[in-house]
mmCIF file of all heavy atoms in Angstrom:
data_model
loop_
_atom_site.group_PDB
_atom_site.id
_atom_site.type_symbol
_atom_site.label_atom_id
_atom_site.label_comp_id
_atom_site.label_asym_id
_atom_site.label_seq_id
_atom_site.Cartn_x
_atom_site.Cartn_y
_atom_site.Cartn_z
ATOM 1 N N GLU A 304 12.314 51.658 -32.957
ATOM 2 C CA GLU A 304 11.671 52.837 -33.616
ATOM 3 C C GLU A 304 12.374 54.115 -33.210
ATOM 4 O O GLU A 304 12.563 55.025 -33.974
ATOM 5 C CB GLU A 304 10.185 52.836 -33.258
ATOM 6 C CG GLU A 304 9.420 51.695 -33.883
ATOM 7 C CD GLU A 304 8.004 51.563 -33.339
ATOM 8 O OE1 GLU A 304 7.624 52.248 -32.356
ATOM 9 O OE2 GLU A 304 7.255 50.704 -33.816
ATOM 10 N N LYS A 305 12.664 54.224 -31.844
ATOM 11 C CA LYS A 305 13.324 55.407 -31.385
ATOM 12 C C LYS A 305 14.754 55.533 -31.899
ATOM 13 O O LYS A 305 15.182 56.588 -32.260
ATOM 14 C CB LYS A 305 13.400 55.335 -29.884
ATOM 15 C CG LYS A 305 13.986 56.559 -29.164
ATOM 16 C CD LYS A 305 13.903 56.483 -27.640
ATOM 17 C CE LYS A 305 14.511 57.617 -26.965
ATOM 18 N NZ LYS A 305 14.404 57.507 -25.488
ATOM 19 N N ASP A 306 15.443 54.382 -31.977
ATOM 20 C CA ASP A 306 16.909 54.444 -32.436
ATOM 21 C C ASP A 306 16.971 54.752 -33.912
ATOM 22 O O ASP A 306 17.869 55.382 -34.357
ATOM 23 C CB ASP A 306 17.576 53.116 -32.109
ATOM 24 C CG ASP A 306 19.060 53.207 -32.036
ATOM 25 O OD1 ASP A 306 19.525 54.076 -31.297
ATOM 26 O OD2 ASP A 306 19.808 52.462 -32.694
ATOM 27 N N THR A 307 15.927 54.379 -34.659
ATOM 28 C CA THR A 307 15.928 54.632 -36.103
ATOM 29 C C THR A 307 15.882 56.135 -36.327
ATOM 30 O O THR A 307 16.578 56.665 -37.182
ATOM 31 C CB THR A 307 14.737 53.910 -36.762
ATOM 32 O OG1 THR A 307 14.833 52.508 -36.649
ATOM 33 C CG2 THR A 307 14.651 54.258 -38.273
ATOM 34 N N LYS A 308 15.140 56.787 -35.545
ATOM 35 C CA LYS A 308 14.967 58.284 -35.638
ATOM 36 C C LYS A 308 16.301 58.982 -35.286
ATOM 37 O O LYS A 308 16.807 59.868 -35.866
ATOM 38 C CB LYS A 308 13.825 58.789 -34.726
ATOM 39 C CG LYS A 308 12.412 58.388 -35.211
ATOM 40 C CD LYS A 308 11.414 58.904 -34.323
ATOM 41 C CE LYS A 308 9.992 58.407 -34.727
ATOM 42 N NZ LYS A 308 8.938 58.833 -33.753
ATOM 43 N N ARG A 309 16.929 58.377 -34.176
ATOM 44 C CA ARG A 309 18.194 58.981 -33.689
ATOM 45 C C ARG A 309 19.290 58.780 -34.737
ATOM 46 O O ARG A 309 20.044 59.837 -34.983
ATOM 47 C CB ARG A 309 18.621 58.207 -32.403
ATOM 48 C CG ARG A 309 19.913 58.671 -31.790
ATOM 49 C CD ARG A 309 20.248 57.872 -30.539
ATOM 50 N NE ARG A 309 20.698 56.495 -30.919
ATOM 51 C CZ ARG A 309 21.983 56.160 -31.035
ATOM 52 N NH1 ARG A 309 22.925 57.094 -30.881
ATOM 53 N NH2 ARG A 309 22.315 54.906 -31.312
ATOM 54 N N ILE A 310 19.382 57.694 -35.330
ATOM 55 C CA ILE A 310 20.471 57.436 -36.289
ATOM 56 C C ILE A 310 20.200 58.251 -37.577
ATOM 57 O O ILE A 310 21.150 58.747 -38.240
ATOM 58 C CB ILE A 310 20.610 55.908 -36.612
ATOM 59 C CG1 ILE A 310 21.060 55.190 -35.321
ATOM 60 C CG2 ILE A 310 21.549 55.643 -37.772
ATOM 61 C CD1 ILE A 310 21.027 53.682 -35.436
ATOM 62 N N ALA A 311 18.950 58.372 -37.994
ATOM 63 C CA ALA A 311 18.618 59.174 -39.120
ATOM 64 C C ALA A 311 19.144 60.643 -38.905
ATOM 65 O O ALA A 311 19.671 61.284 -39.831
ATOM 66 C CB ALA A 311 17.140 59.153 -39.429
ATOM 67 N N GLU A 312 18.907 61.173 -37.669
ATOM 68 C CA GLU A 312 19.324 62.500 -37.357
ATOM 69 C C GLU A 312 20.864 62.585 -37.405
ATOM 70 O O GLU A 312 21.406 63.619 -37.893
ATOM 71 C CB GLU A 312 18.801 62.868 -36.012
ATOM 72 C CG GLU A 312 17.242 63.064 -35.981
ATOM 73 C CD GLU A 312 16.721 63.222 -34.607
ATOM 74 O OE1 GLU A 312 17.488 63.221 -33.573
ATOM 75 O OE2 GLU A 312 15.512 63.530 -34.451
ATOM 76 N N ILE A 313 21.603 61.637 -36.860
ATOM 77 C CA ILE A 313 23.060 61.590 -36.866
ATOM 78 C C ILE A 313 23.536 61.597 -38.320
ATOM 79 O O ILE A 313 24.492 62.377 -38.665
ATOM 80 C CB ILE A 313 23.598 60.401 -36.053
ATOM 81 C CG1 ILE A 313 23.299 60.534 -34.575
ATOM 82 C CG2 ILE A 313 25.141 60.288 -36.316
ATOM 83 C CD1 ILE A 313 23.692 59.352 -33.773
ATOM 84 N N LEU A 314 23.029 60.705 -39.069
ATOM 85 C CA LEU A 314 23.482 60.609 -40.550
ATOM 86 C C LEU A 314 23.229 61.875 -41.292
ATOM 87 O O LEU A 314 24.063 62.376 -42.069
ATOM 88 C CB LEU A 314 22.821 59.420 -41.241
ATOM 89 C CG LEU A 314 23.300 58.046 -40.742
ATOM 90 C CD1 LEU A 314 22.402 56.980 -41.376
ATOM 91 C CD2 LEU A 314 24.744 57.828 -41.212
ATOM 92 N N ALA A 315 22.037 62.478 -41.042
ATOM 93 C CA ALA A 315 21.744 63.800 -41.715
ATOM 94 C C ALA A 315 22.682 64.933 -41.190
ATOM 95 O O ALA A 315 23.165 65.654 -42.009
ATOM 96 C CB ALA A 315 20.332 64.146 -41.444
ATOM 97 N N ASP A 316 22.940 64.956 -39.887
ATOM 98 C CA ASP A 316 23.845 65.952 -39.378
ATOM 99 C C ASP A 316 25.273 65.788 -39.869
ATOM 100 O O ASP A 316 25.933 66.790 -40.163
ATOM 101 C CB ASP A 316 23.860 65.794 -37.823
ATOM 102 C CG ASP A 316 24.642 66.910 -37.144
ATOM 103 O OD1 ASP A 316 24.494 68.005 -37.522
ATOM 104 O OD2 ASP A 316 25.513 66.534 -36.311
ATOM 105 N N LEU A 317 25.694 64.564 -40.064
ATOM 106 C CA LEU A 317 27.038 64.299 -40.575
ATOM 107 C C LEU A 317 27.112 64.362 -42.106
ATOM 108 O O LEU A 317 28.162 64.172 -42.663
ATOM 109 C CB LEU A 317 27.563 62.914 -40.037
ATOM 110 C CG LEU A 317 27.641 62.822 -38.519
ATOM 111 C CD1 LEU A 317 28.054 61.397 -38.217
ATOM 112 C CD2 LEU A 317 28.617 63.832 -37.960
#
Side-chain angles (χ1 to χ4, degrees):
E304 292 169 353
K305 183 177 179 180
D306 204 51
T307 298
K308 293 178 182 177
R309 179 181 74 93
I310 293 171
E312 290 171 359
I313 291 173
L314 287 171
D316 183 49
L317 298 177

